[in-house]
């Protein structure tokens, strides 16, 4: 299943990602082995391998005799190789003697299966072009979780739209939220712009991964989590043996880092104005504000009385934050004065939050019962929750798990639900009208979002273990209402659906 999605801004990724080198711990381990004479490939290890090979040969000969076969030919062929004197110096012996059969170009050699063109194609497929869209998708299958980096190739004269996984990252636990950010988790590089993702899971820490590095075994940074020095397994020195034994302690508890969450982190929101700031909401009933560069917690907010499900920064007022939780409330606050919050009661547990980018004083709250309510923050602070409602709608029959405003078309709102459908709404005049309803065939939908760089592309992920991108302009009602803003024609594909796994059963 796919539990979280995020689009990466176009052009920020390196054309060819770097390959991760060994970590400092790995280098220290190898140096220690070398100093102790334990380097791999030592003469003793090689002799063990050769002895094992001789033993296997003896067993094979005995097995052949037991089957009534004559191993003479095989023995003669092995003796002809004279492996017993393999290490002896043989002057004048060449593995490949000079010959007229040497080819300057691999393409001219009939015995080589590949050629330079194959390598060039592989390099081209691996190269991320500046025109490619990147989609981050958190996936869990068979209790194994990882983050996939999808490349979405837009439709062009070269062919139809296409998408594929470029690379992925292994995750320690089930992923709950992802947020793209461009701030290095390093105070010496805080002014530089990078390509990172923050990932939260059922663990109390937040991992920061560099998306331009392949095969990394650990994140570039950690916000909170357990202290690496603490463990529930201790090593003790065995008396008189000189060997270490592992002994389970009776009731040790891992120690959390200062400022860390103490339970699962359910939601993340990056502040694009203050690039080093990340907000997190947790099942420990707190909201935290982090300095990503310093990897430290700056504020801990405790205004909720139950799990905090969602958090979102205002797109214009960078210090204004919106939070929502399982205490059936949403809170509006300014982190410069975190003690003064304005609360809104809702009909059920909060599922997600969204600010309207075209009217940044308005925000949406969706709930477990499928309702979506729009409030105006100015009216909320002046007259209370009852007077701040702009509109409300029963968007879905089940929980409305995701909402996304189109960044190009005002009043175009997408909602998604565990009822397996996506709905597109025209919210003009404070009277929402459903323009389209689509089963995108990813099962119960947990994550969804419009792409900023191609605003009518809508990505969804759900319980069927598939991710889909829908060109919403292929819907007649959407094209009629908003097509003049797009500057392009709808996708040539009939439904406009591009699926990551076309062989999946339909929902």
């Amino acid at each position: 299943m796919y539990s979280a999605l995020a689009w990466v801004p176009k052009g920020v990724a390196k054309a060819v990602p770097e390959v991760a080198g060994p970590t400092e711990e790995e280098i220290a381990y190898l140096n220690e082995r070398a100093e102790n004479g334990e380097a791999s490939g030592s003469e003793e290890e090689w002799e063990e391998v050769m002895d094992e090979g001789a033993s296997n040969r003896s067993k094979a000969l005995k097995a052949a005799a037991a089957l009534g076969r004559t191993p003479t030919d095989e023995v003669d062929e092995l003796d002809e190789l004279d492996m017993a004197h393999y290490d002896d110096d043989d002057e004048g012996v060449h593995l490949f003697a000079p010959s007229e059969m040497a080819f300057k170009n691999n393409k001219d050699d009939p015995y080589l299966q590949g050629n330079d063109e194959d390598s060039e194609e592989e390099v081209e497929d691996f190269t991320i072009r500046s025109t490619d869209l990147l989609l981050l998708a958190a996936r869990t299958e068979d209790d194994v979780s990882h983050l996939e980096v999808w490349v979405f190739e837009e439709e062009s004269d070269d062919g139809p739209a296409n998408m594929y996984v470029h690379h992925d990252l292994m995750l320690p636990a089930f992923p709950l939220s992802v947020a793209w950010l461009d701030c290095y988790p390093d105070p010496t590089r805080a002014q530089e712009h990078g390509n990172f993702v923050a990932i939260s899971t059922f663990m109390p820490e937040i991992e920061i991964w560099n998306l331009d590095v392949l095969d990394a075994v650990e994140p570039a940074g950690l916000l909170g989590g357990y202290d690496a020095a603490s463990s529930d397994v201790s090593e003790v020195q065995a008396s008189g043996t000189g060997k270490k034994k592992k002994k389970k302690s009776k009731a040790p508890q891992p120690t959390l880092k200062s400022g860390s969450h103490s339970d699962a982190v359910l939601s993340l929101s990056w502040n694009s104005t203050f690039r080093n700031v990340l907000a997190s909401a947790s099942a420990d009933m707190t909201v935290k504000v982090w300095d990503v560069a310093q990897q430290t917690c700056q504020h801990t907010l405790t205004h909720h009385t139950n799990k905090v499900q969602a958090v979102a920064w205002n797109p214009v007022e960078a210090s204004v934050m919106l939070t929502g939780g399982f205490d059936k409330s949403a809170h509006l606050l300014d982190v410069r004065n975190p003690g003064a919050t304005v609360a809104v009661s809702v009909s059920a547990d909060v599922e997600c939050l969204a600010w309207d980018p075209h009217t940044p004083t308005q925000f949406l709250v969706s709930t477990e019962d499928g309702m979506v309510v729009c409030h105006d923050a100015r009216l909320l602070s002046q007259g209370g929750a009852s007077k701040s409602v702009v509109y409300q709608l029963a968007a879905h029959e089940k929980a409305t798990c995701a909402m996304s405003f189109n960044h190009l078309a005002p009043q175009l709102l997408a909602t998604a639900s565990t009822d397996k459908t996506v709905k597109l709404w025209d919210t003009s005049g404070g009277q929402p009208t459903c323009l389209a309803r689509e089963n995108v065939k990813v099962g119960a939908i947990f994550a969804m979002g419009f792409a900023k760089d191609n605003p009518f592309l809508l990505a969804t992920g759900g319980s069927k273990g598939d991710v889909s991108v829908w060109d919403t302009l292929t819907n007649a009602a959407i094209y009629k209402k908003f097509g003049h803003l797009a500057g392009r024609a709808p996708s040539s594909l009939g439904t406009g659906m591009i699926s990551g796994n076309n062989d999946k059963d339909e929902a």
Side-chain angles (χ1 to χ4, degrees), residues 212-455:
D212 288 334
V213 176
L214 304 180
D215 302 329
V217 296
E218 58 184 20
L222 278 175
L223 306 181
Y226 294 110
D227 191 336
S230 67
S231 175
D232 60 351
V233 178
S234 60
E235 291 187 345
V236 296
Q237 191 77 17
S239 176
T241 63
K243 297 181 180 180
K244 288 184 178 180
K245 291 184 179 180
K246 287 185 178 180
K247 182 180 178 181
K248 291 185 178 179
S249 54
K250 292 183 179 179
Q253 293 294 329
T255 303
L256 288 168
K257 296 178 182 177
S258 176
S260 174
H261 282 295
S262 59
D263 207 335
V265 181
L266 306 179
S267 179
L268 300 171
S269 181
W270 176 57
N271 194 313
S272 59
T273 302
F274 300 113
R275 298 174 38 252
N276 64 315
V277 175
L278 181 76
S280 61
S282 172
D284 65 8
M285 299 188 291
T286 69
V287 176
K288 290 182 180 288
V289 179
W290 301 87
D291 184 331
V292 174
Q294 299 290 340
Q295 299 185 46
T296 57
C297 177
Q298 300 298 308
H299 301 284
T300 298
L301 311 177
T302 58
H303 52 273
H304 282 281
T305 59
N306 206 328
K307 297 177 181 178
V308 189
Q309 171 70 9
V311 60
W313 291 105
N314 185 278
V316 175
E317 295 294 335
S319 61
V320 175
M321 175 193 293
L322 183 65
T323 66
F326 286 2
D327 54 4
K328 299 182 180 180
S329 71
H331 289 252
L332 184 67
L333 67 134
D334 191 318
V335 293
R336 295 172 297 185
N337 184 20
T341 68
V342 181
V344 173
S345 296
V346 292
S347 58
D349 292 346
V350 172
E351 285 289 334
C352 68
L353 306 167
W355 288 96
D356 186 341
H358 305 283
T359 310
T361 59
Q362 295 183 2
F363 62 87
L364 301 184
V365 182
S366 75
T367 51
E368 191 178 25
D369 58 2
M371 292 295 297
V372 172
V373 182
C374 176
H375 290 270
D376 191 306
R378 296 168 299 182
L379 299 177
L380 178 64
S381 59
Q382 296 172 4
S386 60
K387 297 182 179 180
S388 67
V389 176
V390 179
Y391 61 82
Q392 57 184 337
L393 63 149
H396 296 271
E397 296 178 358
K398 295 184 179 180
T400 301
C401 297
M403 300 182 293
S404 181
F405 277 102
N406 188 292
H407 291 269
L408 180 63
Q411 287 85 49
L412 178 55
L413 169 69
T415 62
S417 169
T418 52
D419 66 9
K420 305 180 181 180
T421 65
V422 171
K423 292 183 180 181
L424 302 179
W425 305 84
D426 177 8
T427 63
S428 300
Q431 297 179 340
T433 302
C434 185
L435 299 180
R437 179 183 185 276
E438 190 72 32
N439 184 337
V440 291
K441 299 179 173 58
V442 298
I445 302 171
F446 303 118
M448 175 199 66
F450 279 112
K452 287 187 178 180
D453 294 303
N454 194 334

